[in-house]
Amino acid sequence: MTARITFSLGGSGGLGKSSGARAVAQALAQTGMKVALVDANPGQQSQRAFLGVPPDRGLEDARFADDIMDVLVMPGQIRADYAFLPGPMDTRATHLVDRYGSALIQLARICDIVVVDADRTDRRLWNDPNTISGGLIRPFVEGGRARVLFRLGQTGSQLHDGLAALDAIHRPEQVMAIAQTPIGIRPRKPNEWRAMLDGLAKYGGCDQWTEQSTEMVDSGLSGPPHGQESRWLANAAVWAGGRPDDFRQERAKWTFGRRRG
């Protein structure tokens, strides 16, 4: 494989896995890299809804399992700089794991980077070869062909379920953890995160959700303009295969429609 593959995962819902995956794909594509975003959350398909892709176009509509170019949505067809592969609308579609695996192998040959938006995982799913987690993500990760961007929350089940899932994955050298903090909540300190994640994942920073974050999503934007990425996003983009020099510039804090020094 010539492309890097990165799975966006989490141990709970509501942590911004989909918006985070879009932001990483957009950040990388804006540097001139050929990037594909894959929606590997069958049934939910939030990426399809966000990007306005009709339901009659998806992975299950490819004529052959090893030919997805006829269903790949190109950047000029959506409001984004990356290409997009919609997943099946029907969670009962046959051979889902195999179809996704074939699609990722093909995309890895034609793209620089592939970002995969996946569902939550836990120990049971990670150990079940019939699920996306156990049958697709685990073999790619354990075979050294993919990395993980893992989202987890600050407290309660969003924290504890996330830590338990990271323990099940148990690949600290291949996992970067991104903390997610809701509006109005003070983020934990980086040293506190690093202590909790020791032996589980590399800490990549905190995605502090703001009113501007909501406004950006509501406006249909995948991410901020290049050069205005937050620190977690810059770290995640480099982790996914971006060139460090592309994300090394001084970054002002981005607010919707303007920069604030």
Side-chain angles (χ1 to χ4, degrees):
M1 291 189 183
T2 58
R4 296 196 186 206
I5 299 173
T6 298
F7 292 96
S8 178
L9 284 176
S12 302
L15 289 170
K17 293 187 296 295
S18 295
S19 61
R22 283 196 303 271
V24 171
Q26 180 71 0
L28 292 164
Q30 288 181 126
T31 67
M33 304 188 86
K34 293 172 63 176
V35 181
L37 174 67
V38 178
D39 196 327
N41 198 343
Q44 182 175 334
Q45 292 292 293
S46 59
Q47 302 289 15
R48 180 196 293 270
F50 182 88
L51 296 169
V53 177
D56 59 349
R57 188 172 183 177
L59 179 63
E60 74 273 34
D61 299 310
R63 290 189 298 270
F64 304 101
D66 60 349
D67 181 12
I68 46 82
M69 291 305 298
D70 55 342
V71 295
L72 187 66
V73 184
M74 303 308 291
Q77 299 173 299
I78 53 176
R79 193 180 178 185
D81 292 323
Y82 50 80
F84 173 59
L85 179 64
M89 296 289 292
D90 185 0
T91 57
R92 298 168 298 177
T94 58
H95 307 299
L96 269 185
V97 171
D98 291 341
R99 280 181 173 269
Y100 273 116
S102 296
L104 293 184
I105 290 171
Q106 186 174 358
L107 287 173
R109 296 191 185 113
I110 62 177
C111 297
D112 297 316
I113 295 177
V114 181
V115 179
V116 186
D117 176 24
D119 200 358
R120 60 174 293 278
T121 192
D122 57 25
R123 189 174 299 277
R124 180 188 66 81
L125 293 170
W126 191 252
N127 290 319
D128 186 348
N130 297 311
T131 65
I132 295 294
S133 287
L136 176 72
I137 301 173
R138 182 172 182 174
F140 270 84
V141 171
E142 294 186 348
R145 297 180 292 175
R147 283 182 163 185
V148 171
L149 279 168
F150 193 94
R151 310 272 298 197
L152 72 168
Q154 288 217 138
T155 59
S157 61
Q158 290 187 332
L159 172 62
H160 299 300
D161 290 352
L163 293 174
L166 286 170
D167 185 59
I169 296 172
H170 203 62
R171 291 273 170 168
E173 72 283 357
Q174 289 171 257
V175 181
M176 173 175 280
I178 303 296
Q180 196 271 347
T181 305
I183 294 175
I185 302 298
R186 187 174 181 176
R188 291 177 182 266
K189 294 181 179 179
N191 286 343
E192 188 176 356
W193 278 115
R194 292 189 182 98
M196 284 192 294
L197 294 167
D198 185 38
L200 297 175
K202 176 182 176 66
Y203 177 59
C206 179
D207 181 4
Q208 172 72 67
W209 202 255
T210 65
E211 293 179 0
Q212 287 76 28
S213 306
T214 301
E215 194 172 354
M216 182 182 70
V217 171
D218 290 345
S219 298
L221 299 177
S222 292
H226 181 52
Q228 299 179 35
E229 297 88 357
S230 58
R231 188 161 299 280
W232 81 263
L233 180 52
N235 290 340
V238 172
W239 180 258
R243 297 175 290 257
D245 286 347
D246 287 334
F247 298 96
R248 196 167 282 159
Q249 70 273 19
E250 290 296 323
R251 292 180 294 275
K253 188 172 182 180
W254 186 69
T255 57
F256 187 76
R258 64 188 186 277
R259 293 183 70 166
R260 183 175 68 198

